[in-house]
Amino acid sequence: MKKRFKNIFKIGYAKWWDPYYQGFAAQMAFFYILSIVPLIGVLSQVLGLFDISVDYLREFISQYVKFEVAEILTEYLQSSNNGFTGVVMALIAIWAASRGQFAFGRIANYTMTGGKTTGGYFKERFRGVLNLVIMLVTIVFSLVVLVYGEIILKTLFGDFVGDNFYLGLRWLVAIALYFLMIACNYYMLPSERVPFKNVVPGAIFASIGLLAITWIYSKYMVLVASYNILYGSFATIVALLFWFYFLAWVMWLGLLFNKCWIDAKKVEELETLFEESEEEK
């Protein structure tokens, strides 16, 4: 295993300097900014079908994102009920919100296929839309579990389910769905699929990394950042851009870890075959 991680570091270091990756995080941050409003609009409408107030989502965001970032996201939640009615508008919003998935899909293709950026525009956009729908379903299911999970468990099992058990179970389910959502991005977005087990290492890395970078950035926003002084009324947009920029880097590093993990396994297999052939001689 030590040798494998050494090979992973060597392969990753070589790929790090690929000029294609210079500036990709800024591109993804831009597309995520374009996607955030229609995404929240669709999400608020879907939550309405389950009679779940957007206050639950607002409270969840406020736990992990502070100050300027939380303010702009909660503002979008407050106004998202206006204009996102009807099936046609929902479909248009989903298509618009899939831009971020589409951008990441191009990066995933280039990384996993060794230089191929796309399998066709409409095919990649459809794959981005499908991945976005899965992400929305996962988020909605997580919120349904958080809101109605205790009622469902007590209806099924009565007093056998204690409050501590439910509290642990609902966060365990939420963490599992969070990991699954990231793993689906790594599995579905590349045009050339790899076995699901090969995306697990990078998904674990990204799951931890996204939480860590969000926590660190929230502390940075409190202690260091002075966007209001520099950017005035644009401070909230700049704060979001920086946050998405760092998240894009973490998502790519998880993808790169998967690619390096696969390549390192191939190097080990070739070395084993070479050693066996030498022994036969």
Side-chain angles (χ1 to χ4, degrees), residues 14 31 59 80 126 129 140-141 147 171 183 217 219 234 246 264 274:
F31 279 113
E59 181 181 351
S80 60
F126 176 76
V129 169
V140 170
F141 184 76
V147 176
W171 285 113
Y217 187 64
K219 299 301 179 184
F234 291 100
F246 295 132
F274 179 76

Side-chain angles (χ1 to χ4, degrees), residues 7-169:
N7 288 331
I8 288 173
F9 178 80
K10 288 181 178 178
I11 297 169
Y13 182 78
K15 291 182 179 297
W16 177 271
W17 298 105
D18 189 332
Y20 185 82
Y21 297 120
Q22 308 307 312
F24 85 94
Q27 178 192 31
M28 286 186 59
F30 171 75
F31 279 113
Y32 284 145
I33 283 288
L34 293 181
S35 302
I36 190 71
V37 175
L39 177 62
I40 290 179
V42 173
L43 185 59
S44 65
Q45 294 302 311
V46 176
L47 290 177
L49 297 176
F50 294 92
D51 199 25
I52 298 177
S53 171
V54 294
D55 291 335
Y56 287 102
L57 189 57
R58 184 182 296 109
E59 181 181 351
F60 178 80
I61 291 173
S62 299
Q63 289 177 355
Y64 294 97
V65 185
K66 304 299 181 183
F67 292 92
E68 287 90 346
V69 177
E71 287 179 11
I72 192 170
L73 290 178
T74 53
E75 182 182 345
Y76 290 150
L77 282 170
Q78 186 70 33
S79 60
S80 60
N81 289 326
N82 300 322
F84 282 97
T85 57
V87 176
V88 175
M89 282 301 300
L91 292 176
I92 294 174
I94 289 174
W95 178 264
S98 67
R99 291 168 179 163
Q101 304 299 102
F102 173 69
F104 187 69
R106 292 178 62 86
I107 298 294
N109 277 329
Y110 186 86
T111 302
M112 301 303 292
T113 62
K116 185 179 178 181
T117 59
T118 181
Y121 175 79
F122 289 103
K123 184 185 293 185
E124 296 303 319
R125 282 306 299 263
F126 176 76
R127 188 178 286 113
V129 169
L130 180 61
N131 193 263
L132 178 70
V133 170
I134 293 175
M135 185 177 71
L136 284 171
V137 170
T138 304
I139 294 173
V140 170
F141 184 76
S142 300
L143 291 173
V144 168
V145 169
L146 292 176
V147 176
Y148 296 114
E150 185 175 8
I151 298 174
I152 295 172
L153 286 177
K154 287 188 175 181
T155 301
L156 294 175
F157 302 104
D159 295 332
F160 289 101
V161 178
D163 293 335
N164 292 333
F165 175 80
Y166 167 70
L167 182 63
L169 180 62

Side-chain angles (χ1 to χ4, degrees), residues 71-281:
E71 287 179 11
I72 192 170
L73 290 178
T74 53
E75 182 182 345
Y76 290 150
L77 282 170
Q78 186 70 33
S79 60
S80 60
N81 289 326
N82 300 322
F84 282 97
T85 57
V87 176
V88 175
M89 282 301 300
L91 292 176
I92 294 174
I94 289 174
W95 178 264
S98 67
R99 291 168 179 163
Q101 304 299 102
F102 173 69
F104 187 69
R106 292 178 62 86
I107 298 294
N109 277 329
Y110 186 86
T111 302
M112 301 303 292
T113 62
K116 185 179 178 181
T117 59
T118 181
Y121 175 79
F122 289 103
K123 184 185 293 185
E124 296 303 319
R125 282 306 299 263
F126 176 76
R127 188 178 286 113
V129 169
L130 180 61
N131 193 263
L132 178 70
V133 170
I134 293 175
M135 185 177 71
L136 284 171
V137 170
T138 304
I139 294 173
V140 170
F141 184 76
S142 300
L143 291 173
V144 168
V145 169
L146 292 176
V147 176
Y148 296 114
E150 185 175 8
I151 298 174
I152 295 172
L153 286 177
K154 287 188 175 181
T155 301
L156 294 175
F157 302 104
D159 295 332
F160 289 101
V161 178
D163 293 335
N164 292 333
F165 175 80
Y166 167 70
L167 182 63
L169 180 62
R170 73 173 188 170
W171 285 113
L172 182 64
V173 171
I175 291 171
L177 291 172
Y178 165 71
F179 167 79
L180 183 62
M181 184 169 59
I182 295 173
C184 283
N185 275 274
Y186 291 152
Y187 179 71
M188 294 184 60
L189 288 177
S191 56
E192 295 183 13
R193 297 284 175 82
V194 297
F196 187 80
K197 64 180 181 179
N198 288 338
V199 306
V200 171
I204 294 173
F205 176 89
S207 298
I208 298 172
L210 291 175
L211 292 176
I213 201 67
T214 299
W215 182 81
I216 293 171
Y217 187 64
S218 68
K219 299 301 179 184
Y220 166 77
M221 291 287 292
V222 174
L223 299 175
V224 180
S226 55
Y227 295 126
N228 286 328
I229 298 175
L230 293 175
Y231 299 103
S233 60
F234 291 100
T236 52
I237 299 295
V238 174
L240 267 183
L241 278 171
F242 269 101
W243 183 42
F244 288 153
Y245 178 84
F246 295 132
L247 295 183
W249 269 111
V250 174
M251 286 294 290
W252 175 72
L253 286 174
L255 189 68
L256 180 64
F257 190 85
N258 283 335
K259 178 59 176 175
C260 295
W261 181 272
I262 295 170
D263 290 349
K265 287 176 65 176
K266 292 179 180 178
V267 170
E268 287 182 9
E269 292 172 358
L270 291 174
E271 290 176 347
T272 302
L273 290 174
F274 179 76
E275 291 172 359
E276 291 176 352
S277 63
E278 287 295 317
E279 290 177 359
E280 291 178 357
K281 291 180 180 179

